[in-house]
């Protein structure tokens, strides 16, 4: 059974920092593209950051220079360090594991709320 469990969300003031964690089980971690998505109220879910085993990393333009995605392969975990948070970053953040060749193997965590006050 595949499980992705996020933690680390919360409420911070503008300019603050948070670190999200996602613990993955039931998958071969390095076979997947690991992603952080977010969804704000009334908006579509958007891809924030992704990382693959080769080390290739991509970020949403609006978070470049502020957010950093990383992995701990020994723990099957990914992280999202979020600095200089802005009210526009307020959303539910989701961890996602997507197999690049088996599209049905696409898994989501339950989400963690991040709220940034001005």
């Amino acid at each position: 059974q595949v499980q992705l469990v996020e933690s680390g969300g919360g409420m911070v003031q503008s300019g603050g920092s948070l670190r999200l964690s996602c613990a993955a089980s039931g998958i071969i971690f390095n076979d997947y593209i690991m992603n952080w998505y977010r969804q704000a109220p009334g908006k579509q879910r958007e891809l924030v950051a992704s990382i693959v085993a080769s080390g290739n990393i991509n970020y949403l333009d609006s978070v470049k220079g502020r957010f950093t995605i990383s992995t701990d392969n020994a723990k099957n975990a990914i992280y999202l360090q979020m600095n200089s948070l802005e009210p526009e970053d307020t959303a539910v953040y989701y961890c996602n594991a997507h197999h690049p060749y088996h599209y049905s193997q696409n898994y989501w965590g339950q989400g963690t709320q991040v709220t940034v006050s001005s």
Side-chain angles (χ1 to χ4, degrees), residues 23-45:
S25 60
I27 61 172
I28 300 174
F29 194 66
N30 286 341
D31 287 350
Y32 285 75
I33 302 169
M34 300 302 297
N35 305 298
W36 285 101
Y37 282 80
R38 68 186 182 188
Q39 188 166 21
K43 295 188 177 181
Q44 289 189 330
R45 192 171 295 190

Side-chain angles (χ1 to χ4, degrees), residues 17-116:
S17 298
L18 284 173
R19 186 185 191 225
L20 305 184
S21 300
C22 172
S25 60
I27 61 172
I28 300 174
F29 194 66
N30 286 341
D31 287 350
Y32 285 75
I33 302 169
M34 300 302 297
N35 305 298
W36 285 101
Y37 282 80
R38 68 186 182 188
Q39 188 166 21
K43 295 188 177 181
Q44 289 189 330
R45 192 171 295 190
E46 63 182 354
L47 177 61
V48 175
S50 63
I51 188 169
V52 296
S54 66
N56 191 35
I57 292 174
N58 288 286
Y59 293 102
L60 181 69
D61 283 348
S62 62
V63 308
K64 286 180 181 177
R66 301 189 297 121
F67 291 11
T68 303
I69 188 171
S70 61
T71 62
D72 184 334
N73 291 340
K75 296 182 179 180
N76 271 19
I78 66 167
Y79 306 97
L80 187 68
Q81 178 66 43
M82 305 185 294
N83 298 328
S84 302
L85 283 161
E86 304 167 353
E88 293 74 23
D89 297 316
T90 295
V92 178
Y93 284 70
Y94 296 92
C95 177
N96 169 262
H98 175 70
H99 198 290
Y101 303 115
H102 302 289
Y103 292 159
S104 63
Q105 296 180 20
N106 188 43
Y107 306 106
W108 295 90
Q110 81 284 358
T112 186
Q113 177 70 46
V114 171
T115 303
V116 185

